[in-house]
């Protein structure tokens, strides 16, 4: 964000606690000092209102970054994201566009119970006019966020509260990662595991475990949800012939549903087993730690599912 | 007493209001003939609001409104031809046959639409004004909505931030007394809608929307405040729509007498009366204006009739700015 704000003065950051508090999760630490209150703007708690002001400003020669303290709260602003930002180019016949980034943490973050633990990738990925990015990888996050800020279309950018503290190699120099490209984070030959956001930790952990048993898993990080880079998944399945999808998402009409349709259509003859998926439980998240664990996908269940598609266990 | 507006302004008002009236009458007629489909909300009766805004603002000021947008779009400078073609859904329409009645837009004329979600544009208007403040211009933004939208939560969030940040915006509630079929009295205990501004320490005022003069004066004050850094204003302009909410609404919720009462205050009649009383135009000159307006509307219909539909391949265009977006097609 800082690099893009130095590069382009039409970019500003607006949201709750982004300025004086330095960000609810310290994402915008130091930005008020560098850019001043004109470009780093604290708002009242009014998600619908400041999302609308962002969309209006994006119609008129600025490039807003609108931060939601969590995507749970953005539910109050979904009218502006879906009914307004996503429709801007279409309903205006191309007169106006909406170069805006809506960003913030998505998904669960420990024992936060039902209202603070939801993941919404599939909601926004259903909407033409939006692009949807979801990642926790520090290197990818920088390159994709820069691409999102420069994009002429509205971008939903989903992070993870429990992984803001993650450390990773992030070059100082400028680089962009194109929106709509998945990344093979680990090469393998026996099975393909597709995931995104913090479930990538589960996918990679499962791949480590499987390696101990000489099972070679290829792990793909979607990074962008919409548009979906299904070509990378299909190419991998053509090699491994097996697919397991791990996601923090309710199962009904989830990202895995879409991937499964696409892979059966494009690579039906390559599949040696049914496509399987491990989603969040089809339930609301509860508070107790054992119920949190039961709700989310984990390494042991992923390992077991991989073995099932390899017909090693029933 | 000397009239502060003068001949030029009255003649401009007369011609513009007559154009809006005749355009809408024709649109209503064509809707009945099924040439125009979808939803269609006519502006008939509310023309003085458009006229007063026209004379009290600069061409480069911004305007945004709801779905009852035909009149304000034409006032802002979109041609009757492009508007009629849009109602037909033709490729030559102001939004290329993609928006229809509710979504007229023109970036060049700084007409920001044409919005279909009741009250959604209240926040957008503040955002447009935010961008002007951010870019340090002296443009004012006029943000219009109906009495129904005044009951949306977004109004309150937006009013609060607009005052907090002193945004150069004029909020205008065109109170035509009916949110579709629900009268103002049935939506709130606060019947003086302009008083909602009090809660946010915003200047608010109530204006007679059947009078071009009163609309002009109110808008002029508010726009000056916006330009001079004095922040937002909320104007409740009391107007009246002669027709139903949309073409499918027979407006049975109000009496004939009520409608007739308003028609007696008709702004076009009033303005014509002032012109005649002051001898600012001969009968012949008025007839020439009438004839010119009639021709403009007829030409707009002919243009719409003769224009092509959008190509089928427009389906996937104008969804993204990104020209290579990989749509899912099967």
């Amino acid at each position: 964000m800082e690099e893009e704000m130095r590069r382009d003065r039409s970019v500003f950051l607006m949201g709750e606690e982004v300025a004086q508090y330095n960000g609810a999760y310290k994402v915008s630490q130091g930005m008020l000092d560098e850019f001043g209150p004109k470009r780093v703007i604290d708002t009242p708690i009014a998600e619908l209102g400041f999302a609308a002001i962002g969309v209006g400003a994006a119609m008129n020669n600025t490039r807003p970054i609108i931060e939601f303290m969590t995507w749970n709260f953005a539910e109050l602003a979904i009218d502006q994201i879906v009914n307004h930002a996503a429709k801007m180019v279409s309903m205006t016949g191309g007169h106006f566009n909406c170069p805006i980034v809506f960003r913030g943490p998505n998904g669960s973050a420990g024992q936060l119970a039902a209202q603070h633990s939801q993941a919404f990738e599939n909601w926004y990925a259903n909407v033409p006019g939006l692009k949807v990015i979801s990642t926790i990888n520090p290197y990818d996050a920088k390159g994709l966020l820069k691409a999102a800020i420069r994009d002429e279309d509205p971008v939903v950018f989903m992070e993870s509260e429990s992984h803001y503290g993650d450390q990773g190699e992030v070059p100082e120099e400028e680089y962009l990662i194109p929106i709509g490209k998945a990344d093979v984070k680990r090469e393998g030959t026996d099975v393909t595991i597709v995931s995104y956001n913090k479930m990538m930790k589960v996918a990679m952990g499962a791949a480590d475990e499987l390696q101990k048993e000489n099972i070679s898993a290829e792990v793909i990080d979607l990074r962008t949800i919409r548009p979906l880079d299904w070509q990378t998944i299909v190419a991998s399945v053509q090699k491994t012939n097996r697919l397991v999808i791990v996601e923090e998402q309710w199962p009904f009409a989830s990202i895995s549903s879409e991937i499964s349709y696409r892979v059966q259509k494009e690579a039906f003859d390559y599949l040696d087993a049914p496509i399987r998926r491990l989603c969040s439980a089809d339930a609301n998240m509860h508070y107790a730690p054992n119920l949190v664990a039961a709700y989310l996908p984990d390494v042991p269940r992923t390992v077991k599912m991989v073995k099932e598609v390899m017909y090693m266990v029933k | 007493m000397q009239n502060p507006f003068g001949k030029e302004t009255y003649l401009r008002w007369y011609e513009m209001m007559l154009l809006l009236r005749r355009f809408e009458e024709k649109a209503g007629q064509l809707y009945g003939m099924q040439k125009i489909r979808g939803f269609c909300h006519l502006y008939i009766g509310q023309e003085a609001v458009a006229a007063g805004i026209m004379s009290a603002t600069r061409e480069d000021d911004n305007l945004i409104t709801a779905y009852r947008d035909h009149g304000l779009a034409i006032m802002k400078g979109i041609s009757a031809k492009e508007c009629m073609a849009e109602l037909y859904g033709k490729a030559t329409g102001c939004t290329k046959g993609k928006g229809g009645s509710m979504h007229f837009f023109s970036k060049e004329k700084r007409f920001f639409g044409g919005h279909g979600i009741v009250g959604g544009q209240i926040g957008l208007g503040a955002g447009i004004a935010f961008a002007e403040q951010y870019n340090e211009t002296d443009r004012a933004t006029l943000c219009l909505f109906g009495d129904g939208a005044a009951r949306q939560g977004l109004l309150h969030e937006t009013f609060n931030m607009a005052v907090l940040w002193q945004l150069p915006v004029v909020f205008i509630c065109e109170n035509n007394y009916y949110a579709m079929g629900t009268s103002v009295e049935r939506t709130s205990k606060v019947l003086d809608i302009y008083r909602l501004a009090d809660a946010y320490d915003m200047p608010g005022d109530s204006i007679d929307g059947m009078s071009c003069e009163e609309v002009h004066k109110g808008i002029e004050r508010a726009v000056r405040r916006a330009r001079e850094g004095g922040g937002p204003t909320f104007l409740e302009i009391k107007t009246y729509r002669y027709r139903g909410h949309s073409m499918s609404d027979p407006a049975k919720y109000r009496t004939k007498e009520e409608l007739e009462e308003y028609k007696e205050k008709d702004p076009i009649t009033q303005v014509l009366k002032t012109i005649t009383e002051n001898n600012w135009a001969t009968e012949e000159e008025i007839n020439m204006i009438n004839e010119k307006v009639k021709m403009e509307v007829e030409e707009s219909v002919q243009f719409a009739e003769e224009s092509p539909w959008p190509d089928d391949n427009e389906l996937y265009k104008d969804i993204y700015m990104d020209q290579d977006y990989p749509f899912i097609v099967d």
Side-chain angles (χ1 to χ4, degrees), chain A residues 9 11-12 38-39 41 46 49 53 55 57 60 80 89-90 92-93 95-96 129-131 153 226 262 265, chain B residues 94-96 103 105 107 110 112 120 124 127-128 130-132 134 136 157 318 320-322 325 328 330:
Chain A
R9 73 164 297 284
V11 180
F12 64 83
K38 183 180 168 180
R39 300 184 67 195
I41 305 145
I53 288 173
V55 174
N60 196 15
Q80 284 296 325
V89 187
S90 327
T92 71
H95 275 283
F96 292 93
L130 298 178
K131 296 178 179 178
D153 292 307
R226 181 186 176 99
R262 185 58 49 194
K265 179 173 176 292
Chain B
C94 60
T95 44
K96 304 195 288 194
H103 305 305
F105 285 86
K107 192 166 199 172
R110 307 197 75 80
F112 286 75
L124 297 182
I128 293 161
F130 179 93
E132 298 296 351
Y134 188 88
E136 293 167 14
E157 298 186 18
D318 297 323
Y320 291 94
M321 296 296 284
D322 181 351
Y325 186 86
I328 297 173
D330 65 346

Side-chain angles (χ1 to χ4, degrees), chain B residues 79-255:
Chain B
S79 72
K81 279 183 178 178
E82 286 175 280
C83 291
M84 191 59 83
E86 190 56 40
L87 292 178
Y88 270 65
K90 297 296 183 75
T92 53
C94 60
T95 44
K96 304 195 288 194
K98 295 187 170 180
S101 164
M102 296 184 286
H103 305 305
F104 288 3
F105 285 86
S106 170
K107 192 166 199 172
E108 184 200 342
K109 305 290 183 190
R110 307 197 75 80
F111 183 70
F112 286 75
H115 294 266
I117 307 295
V118 174
Q121 81 280 10
I122 300 174
L124 297 182
I128 293 161
F130 179 93
E132 298 296 351
Q133 186 186 61
Y134 188 88
N135 288 324
E136 293 167 14
T137 76
D138 71 341
R139 280 194 200 107
T141 299
L142 279 70
C143 176
L144 289 91
F145 48 91
D147 45 281
R151 310 309 184 192
Q152 286 274 27
L154 181 57
L155 174 133
H156 297 272
E157 298 186 18
T158 303
F159 276 17
N160 184 45
M161 283 181 274
V163 175
L164 183 66
W165 298 333
Q166 291 288 286
L167 300 180
V169 58
V170 183
F171 296 109
I172 299 164
C173 175
E174 287 183 276
N175 179 2
N176 62 22
Y177 299 102
Y178 292 94
M180 207 164 148
T182 307
S183 64
V184 167
E185 292 77 17
R186 295 202 292 130
T187 63
S188 175
K189 286 288 184 193
V190 183
L191 302 183
D192 289 326
I193 294 174
Y194 73 95
R195 285 181 49 219
L196 295 177
D198 295 349
Y200 302 99
D201 207 11
M202 190 195 307
D205 209 350
S206 171
I207 289 170
D208 174 7
M210 304 308 274
S211 156
C212 296
E213 296 88 341
E214 292 306 310
V215 173
H216 177 106
K217 285 189 260 179
I219 300 281
E220 193 176 46
R221 277 195 300 272
V223 163
R224 189 184 313 125
R225 180 177 291 130
R227 268 198 236 298
E228 290 172 356
T233 305
F234 182 32
L235 302 176
E236 176 191 1
I237 302 187
K238 291 184 169 164
T239 178
Y240 202 79
R241 63 170 152 79
Y242 296 176
R243 301 288 183 93
H245 165 74
S246 67
M247 295 309 296
S248 59
D249 171 19
K252 286 183 177 160
Y253 40 80
R254 58 188 187 190
T255 62

